[in-house]
Amino acid sequence: MRAHFSSLVRKAVSVVMVAAVMIAFFPRITGTDETVLAEGTKNQDNTYLGISVITNPAVPEDVNSPWSGSYVYFGEYTKQYYGRRDLKFRVLQKDCTVYTSEKALFLDSDETLFSSEFDKESNNWEKSDLRDYLNTTFYEDSFSERERSVIATSTGNGNVVYAPGSYEEWYYVSPVSVNDKVFLLDAGEVMNEAYGYSSDCGWTSDVAYKLGSHETYGYHSVDNRLKSGKGFTWFLRSADPDLSRVISLVTDDGQLYEETIKFSNGVAPAINVYQKNIIFASSVGNRSDTFKLTFKDSGLKIAIQEGKKVSVSGTKVTVPYTITGTNADTATRASVLILDKEYKTENSNNANILYYDGLDGLYGKNGTGTFVLPASLKLKDWNTKYYVYILAEDINAEAETDFASAPVKLGVPVLIADPTPTKKPTATPAPTKEPTKKPSVTPTPVAGKKSTWSKENGKWYYYDKNGSKATGWYRVGSWYLFDRTGVMLTGWQLDGGKWFFLGKDGAMRSGWLQINGLWYYLDSSGAMKTGWQKIGTIWYYFKPDGSMAANEYCSGYWLNDNGSWTYEPKAKWYKNSVGWYYQDSSGWYAKSGTYKIDGKNYNFNSEGYCTNP
């Protein structure tokens, strides 16, 4: 009798339904209700741990209730008339295990993506052309390699059971099993109130039970089965076993209906994605029910740079990180995540986000980033009352899937003090720019004076063994320098392009030399040194005038008040939308004072910005 009723109803409703169904085969291109989404910034205001913010669908109050629940963007598809667009799915169930042994998000496309025949020969889902297309071309074209890695192979019939005497059992006998990455919903699933769909098939009840009756039948809309934009009926994988060339579908008014397998209808795919791979869900378009997901990517890894440590100065934490892995080049930022409990896969311990954002500083695969510890968190409670993690993230446009490394927990940071420079040193006097003028007269020997010093008219001379006045460099125990008339020179003297210092006694100095409170260094030849010089085991910097740098930055390195370089982090200038600031690789930055940098004094306000760049 069921077959007789099916035939009777099909004949009876064909006149009524044909117009509606035929209209559904052409897209309504009067517009789209899709929000144009702009690329956004992920932070603790719009991002949630795991899928804690995602809800299961609301049970419809009646057939006029629209579908209500959470939506997830995942993948993208080229849709006729609309071009490439992000795929939006309804979340039919979170923590779903009806198709997989592990928890998954059970997702159903929010719209019909394209129209297609079901098959050319049969209504058997397992052998259909549509199943083959969805699991090959569509699957590979719509989802990236990394997205495909988190899509589960769904098996079984979704634990659907058709109750005896129900519309589904009478019409379809039993559910259709799947073994697919991408599949179509079953008639029982689109009548499952737990999935947000009404249990009402869309036809008046007397039709189903007064078999063969010629009484007036009727049908009505079921709004929660309507897809975004409407415009298409959409296929189910359920089929009438008595009619091999007929397949079930949902009309554009939400009734369960059927049509020949060779007649094109809309396709709304369903998938399951593993929950264990989801790190974050982030709001899309400032909506409280629509999200993008961040999946853990085994090809992204982050760690603290070898030989370096996380440090803290005040409340500013500095993190020297390195990003590696086969997908390291896709990373767009290094992020910090602070939780009230330790991070667990699937957020099994219900941890809450206390702070989440990108690290400040210039991003690089080997970089140094900083963040300020929230005022509510005390350093002494690190790894006891809260836990700090870093991640490498590939953040894409607002409705596109993101990827991240597994979170790496940070140990308690090393406490460091600010290397605050002291007041600027006194001005450095430059050596004499010109040597003593060269006389035009050549000295002649003086009788009776040999190998002896002689002071004449307040000036010193030295007579060599021949009785001639010494000129140029001459060694008398120590080295001395005489001009061309034989006068012994003192002080700074330029000879052969190099500066030398001769004491008041005329003797050439070497090694460390202090003049007017400033230090100089002369090598064993007496030549004054400039630039970076390693003396013993310590590096020093001597300015172009030869004076030693102290209490200042030179070439980005901080030199102590004794001139030694022992503080390794290197500083350099940065500029943002506010202004210029000077920061080193440990995260320390100049602020609230005057700092000497490469010979010039710069003033910095309490926020660290230079007021006289």
Side-chain angles (χ1 to χ4, degrees):
M1 288 197 300
R2 184 182 62 79
H4 169 72
F5 173 76
S6 298
S7 175
L8 177 63
V9 171
R10 289 185 195 98
K11 291 178 181 178
V13 301
S14 61
V15 174
V16 179
M17 294 295 295
V18 67
V21 174
M22 287 298 291
I23 291 173
F25 300 141
F26 298 93
R28 299 174 183 175
I29 53 176
T30 57
T32 174
D33 58 357
E34 286 296 316
T35 302
V36 177
L37 302 172
E39 186 170 356
T41 300
K42 287 170 60 178
N43 53 45
Q44 65 193 85
D45 296 328
N46 57 23
T47 298
Y48 308 86
L49 198 61
I51 59 170
S52 58
V53 70
I54 293 176
T55 62
N56 283 320
V59 174
E61 293 182 5
D62 52 47
V63 295
N64 296 316
S65 302
W67 190 90
S68 178
S70 294
Y71 299 88
V72 163
Y73 279 96
F74 184 77
E76 58 180 14
Y77 181 72
T78 302
K79 183 175 174 62
Q80 189 178 18
Y81 303 107
Y82 298 114
R84 197 76 174 170
R85 59 195 283 141
D86 301 305
L87 286 178
K88 184 179 180 182
F89 289 91
R90 300 173 180 180
V91 178
L92 297 190
Q93 188 177 32
K94 58 187 290 187
D95 302 330
C96 182
T97 56
V98 298
Y99 281 108
T100 64
S101 59
E102 299 179 84
K103 291 180 182 178
L105 281 184
F106 184 14
L107 306 178
D108 173 29
S109 177
D110 186 49
E111 62 177 319
T112 54
L113 300 181
F114 59 94
S115 61
S116 171
E117 296 178 351
F118 187 83
D119 190 70
K120 298 186 182 301
E121 302 295 336
S122 168
N123 61 7
N124 185 315
W125 164 254
E126 183 180 358
K127 299 178 180 179
S128 68
D129 294 335
L130 183 54
R131 175 189 183 237
D132 180 67
Y133 174 79
L134 287 175
N135 285 277
T136 54
T137 303
F138 174 83
Y139 175 67
E140 293 172 2
D141 182 62
S142 301
F143 306 107
S144 69
E145 182 178 357
R146 289 190 288 179
E147 287 174 326
R148 295 197 296 269
S149 71
V150 300
I151 299 176
T153 298
S154 300
T155 59
N157 59 22
N159 293 344
V160 174
V161 176
Y162 293 161
S166 67
Y167 175 85
E168 309 97 279
E169 188 273 339
W170 167 76
Y171 210 102
Y172 306 111
V173 180
S174 62
V176 178
S177 294
V178 297
N179 184 27
D180 306 296
K181 294 286 189 180
V182 187
F183 56 99
L184 302 180
L185 295 186
D186 175 89
E189 289 169 330
V190 297
M191 295 179 65
N192 188 337
E193 292 185 342
Y195 294 161
Y197 295 126
S198 292
S199 57
D200 189 318
C201 65
W203 298 93
T204 52
S205 59
D206 61 343
V207 175
Y209 294 101
K210 295 180 180 180
L211 304 182
S213 127
H214 293 282
E215 295 183 17
T216 302
Y217 60 88
Y219 60 89
H220 49 265
S221 296
V222 182
D223 291 348
N224 44 72
R225 283 197 285 267
L226 304 183
K227 294 295 187 179
S228 293
K230 301 183 180 179
F232 277 117
T233 58
W234 47 288
F235 278 126
L236 302 175
R237 69 177 190 273
S238 300
D240 185 336
D242 293 335
L243 300 171
S244 63
R245 298 177 66 80
V246 172
I247 189 67
S248 184
L249 53 77
V250 175
T251 72
D252 62 351
D253 286 320
Q255 300 104 19
L256 269 68
Y257 192 61
E258 60 184 21
E259 186 54 80
T260 174
I261 56 174
K262 297 185 70 175
F263 205 105
S264 290
N265 284 281
V267 179
I271 58 174
N272 281 281
V273 295
Y274 287 120
Q275 184 178 321
K276 66 182 180 181
N277 296 89
I278 300 173
I279 298 178
F280 298 124
S282 301
S283 298
V284 171
N286 296 318
R287 293 180 61 93
S288 61
D289 61 354
T290 307
F291 307 93
K292 63 183 290 188
L293 302 174
T294 300
F295 288 93
K296 182 168 60 179
D297 179 2
S298 60
L300 271 178
K301 301 181 186 299
I302 192 169
I304 299 302
Q305 292 181 28
E306 186 175 357
K308 296 189 178 182
K309 296 181 179 180
V310 179
S311 60
V312 61
S313 177
T315 59
K316 187 173 184 179
V317 181
T318 300
V319 183
Y321 62 86
T322 182
I323 296 174
T324 58
T326 55
N327 293 328
D329 289 339
T330 68
T332 57
R333 85 175 187 187
S335 304
V336 61
L337 171 69
I338 304 179
L339 305 176
D340 63 348
K341 300 176 184 177
E342 292 192 79
Y343 176 80
K344 301 289 184 182
T345 300
E346 299 180 13
N347 195 24
S348 58
N349 60 347
N350 295 316
N352 296 301
I353 295 177
L354 302 179
Y355 179 82
Y356 165 67
D357 211 337
L359 290 173
D360 291 332
L362 297 177
Y363 169 75
K365 285 195 289 185
N366 291 289
T368 298
T370 64
F371 69 94
V372 176
L373 197 64
S376 60
L377 303 180
K378 307 302 180 185
L379 187 62
K380 65 183 180 63
D381 296 328
W382 189 300
N383 275 355
T384 56
K385 293 184 179 180
Y386 64 89
Y387 303 85
V388 183
Y389 298 83
I390 54 172
L391 311 88
E393 292 198 78
D394 174 13
I395 298 178
N396 299 297
E398 192 177 33
E400 295 179 6
T401 305
D402 293 340
F403 298 91
S405 66
V408 173
K409 187 167 72 171
L410 299 182
V412 179
V414 175
L415 183 64
I416 63 171
D418 283 353
T420 307
T422 56
K423 292 182 179 179
K424 60 184 181 181
T426 57
T428 303
T432 304
K433 297 299 182 181
E434 296 291 337
T436 304
K437 291 184 178 180
K438 299 176 181 179
S440 58
V441 179
T442 301
T444 57
V446 178
K449 292 185 177 181
K450 296 182 179 180
S451 302
T452 185
W453 287 97
S454 176
K455 188 174 184 180
E456 301 168 10
N457 298 320
K459 298 180 180 179
W460 283 97
Y461 299 83
Y462 185 80
Y463 291 86
D464 63 19
K465 62 182 180 179
N466 297 316
S468 297
K469 293 178 179 179
T471 59
W473 286 104
Y474 197 90
R475 189 166 189 172
V476 186
S478 298
W479 283 98
Y480 297 82
L481 181 62
F482 302 87
D483 70 12
R484 296 189 66 177
T485 66
V487 175
M488 181 189 76
L489 302 176
T490 61
W492 288 108
Q493 299 295 328
L494 183 65
D495 182 69
K498 297 179 181 180
W499 286 96
F500 298 83
F501 187 81
L502 308 168
K504 290 182 179 180
D505 62 356
M508 182 194 78
R509 300 293 193 262
S510 63
W512 286 102
L513 176 68
Q514 188 178 39
I515 303 175
N516 296 328
L518 298 174
W519 286 95
Y520 300 81
Y521 188 78
L522 313 172
D523 65 18
S524 59
S525 73
M528 182 189 77
K529 306 301 291 184
T530 59
W532 286 102
Q533 301 294 328
K534 189 173 185 181
I535 303 172
T537 60
I538 304 296
W539 283 95
Y540 299 84
Y541 183 80
F542 298 91
K543 301 175 185 180
D545 64 7
S547 62
M548 180 190 75
N551 291 326
E552 62 184 285
Y553 281 95
C554 291
S555 302
Y557 294 99
W558 170 249
L559 296 159
N560 300 324
D561 58 359
N562 64 2
S564 62
W565 171 64
T566 59
Y567 183 72
E568 292 186 0
K570 186 177 182 180
K572 61 181 178 179
W573 288 100
Y574 296 94
K575 187 179 183 182
N576 60 20
S577 59
V578 178
W580 287 94
Y581 60 102
Y582 195 71
Q583 179 176 316
D584 70 27
S585 53
S586 76
W588 177 91
Y589 58 94
K591 61 181 180 179
S592 302
T594 300
Y595 299 80
K596 194 166 189 177
I597 302 170
D598 293 329
K600 180 180 177 180
N601 290 315
Y602 294 90
N603 302 319
F604 295 84
N605 63 23
S606 60
E607 299 299 319
Y609 291 101
C610 182
T611 59
N612 63 328

